[in-house]
Amino acid sequence: MTHTARLALALLASVTLTGMAAPAFAQSGEVNIYSYREQSLLQPLLDRFTAESGVKVNVLYAGDGLLERVAAEGELSPADVVLTVDIGNLVGAEEQGLTQKITTPVLDERVPAAFRDDDDNWTALSLRARVFFVSKERVDATALTYDDIAKPEWKGRVCTRPGDHAYNIGLIAQRIAATGLDATRTWLTAVRDNLAYPPSGNDREGVKNILAGTCDLSISNTYYMGVMLNNDAEPEQKEWANSARIVYPDAETDGTQVNVAGGFIAKYAPNVENANALIAFLLSDEAQSIYADTNYEFPVVPSVSPSELTLSWGTLKPASTPLSEIAAHRAEAAALVDELKFNEGAQN
C-alpha cells in the first residue's frame, strides 16, 4: 500500500469513528491542521496565509479529542499542525511524543522564552489573562492582588467557574509554582470560603451574576469582555459586561497569570516545510494583529499591540513564571481542588 493510500485510509477510519469531516490527505502545496479553535476565529488568518503563500489549508475542527486522534493515527496521521488552547494540552502533546521541533527561526526571534518550549516543540500563539471582573457599582478598588480575594472582606462576594476547569487549574498551578503547595492550599481554602455560591457555569455566567448582585467579583478571562460587548446575537450579554470593569491582579507586583492558545507541528507531519511556514506566519505582525482584533486576546509577540478595545481595559503585565513550570504543577492543582472540595463552595 502506498503512503498516500495509507493516509487516505487513516482519514476514512477517523471519519468513521467520529462522524466528523476530515481534511484531504497530504499533497504538495498543502498543510493540514487539526484545530480546537473555532472556525470563525481562525479562518481570517488561514485565508491570509493562503493568499500570501499559495499553500492550500485543510482544517479539521473539533471541541475535543484531537490529541487522542493524532496519537491513534500514529505514522498515518495527516496532521501537520495542531492548534489548541491551554498549556496542559501543549505540554501533554510533547510528553506523549506527538510533536517535533519547530525549525522556523521566527520562533526564537519573536516569542519570549517563557511562552515556548525550551526545545521548540510547541509555542504559544496568543495569551489570555486570568483577571478579575468587578462590579462598577459595588467595588471601588482599582488595584487588587490574587491574595486579596482570600481576605475576610471578600466573604460571599467572589464567584468563578468550577475549580477543575482548565482555566482555574492553570491559575492554581501558577500559584503553586510561585508560592509553593502549602501556601496555595491556604490561599485556595480561603478563596473557597469567600465564594458567593458553589462554582458553576462559565466565565460569562460570573459576569452575569455581578449584574444580578449575586457576587461582586468574578474570576474570568479577559477576552470574554470583548466577546460579550460585541455579542449582537445575545444583547443581554452587553448588559452583563457593562456592569463590570476589569482589574489585572498583581499588575503592580508579580504580574497577572496568563494561559495561552498555541500550536505544535505533529511528529509525523507529511508537510513539514509548509507547517513551519504556517507557524512563522501565525507569529507575523499581521497574524498577531488579527488574533488581537478578532479574539480580544493578547499577542504573544511583544512588539505587536493588543486591540484598542483590549487596551481600554488596562495594561497586562504577565507573570514571569514559565508556562512549562506551570504545566508541571497542574496535577497538584487538580488534586488540591478535590482535596478542598472546592466545587462544593464555602464550608464555613
Side-chain angles (χ1 to χ4, degrees), residues 22-44:
F25 58 82
Q27 298 176 20
S28 175
E30 300 192 4
V31 64
N32 300 320
I33 300 173
Y34 283 6
S35 177
Y36 284 103
R37 309 235 57 184
E38 296 178 12
Q39 184 173 2
S40 61
L41 303 179
L42 190 59
Q43 200 60 49

Side-chain angles (χ1 to χ4, degrees), residues 35-46 59 61-63 83 85 128 167 204 223-224 227 291 294-295:
S35 177
Y36 284 103
R37 309 235 57 184
E38 296 178 12
Q39 184 173 2
S40 61
L41 303 179
L42 190 59
Q43 200 60 49
L45 291 161
L46 302 183
V59 190
Y61 295 97
L83 301 177
V85 295
R128 55 264 301 273
Y167 297 165
R204 298 187 218 198
Y223 60 85
Y224 282 106
V227 171
Y291 261 119
T294 305
N295 304 343

Side-chain angles (χ1 to χ4, degrees), residues 4-71:
T4 297
R6 289 197 301 272
L7 287 172
L9 182 60
L11 282 166
L12 178 60
S14 178
V15 173
T16 301
L17 287 171
T18 66
M20 297 180 61
F25 58 82
Q27 298 176 20
S28 175
E30 300 192 4
V31 64
N32 300 320
I33 300 173
Y34 283 6
S35 177
Y36 284 103
R37 309 235 57 184
E38 296 178 12
Q39 184 173 2
S40 61
L41 303 179
L42 190 59
Q43 200 60 49
L45 291 161
L46 302 183
D47 290 344
R48 290 300 303 160
F49 173 69
T50 296
E52 295 181 12
S53 68
V55 174
K56 180 183 177 183
V57 179
N58 306 303
V59 190
L60 173 61
Y61 295 97
D64 53 40
L66 290 181
L67 296 186
E68 292 80 3
R69 178 179 300 201
V70 174

Side-chain angles (χ1 to χ4, degrees), residues 13 19 52 58 107 148 204 227 268 309 327 339:
E52 295 181 12
N58 306 303
L107 179 62
D148 284 336
R204 298 187 218 198
V227 171
Y268 298 108
L309 178 59
E339 173 192 328

Side-chain angles (χ1 to χ4, degrees), residues 153-170:
E153 56 261 38
W154 287 98
K155 177 73 174 178
R157 302 174 66 193
V158 178
C159 57
T160 189
R161 70 195 311 158
D164 53 357
H165 188 276
Y167 297 165
N168 281 336
I169 290 296

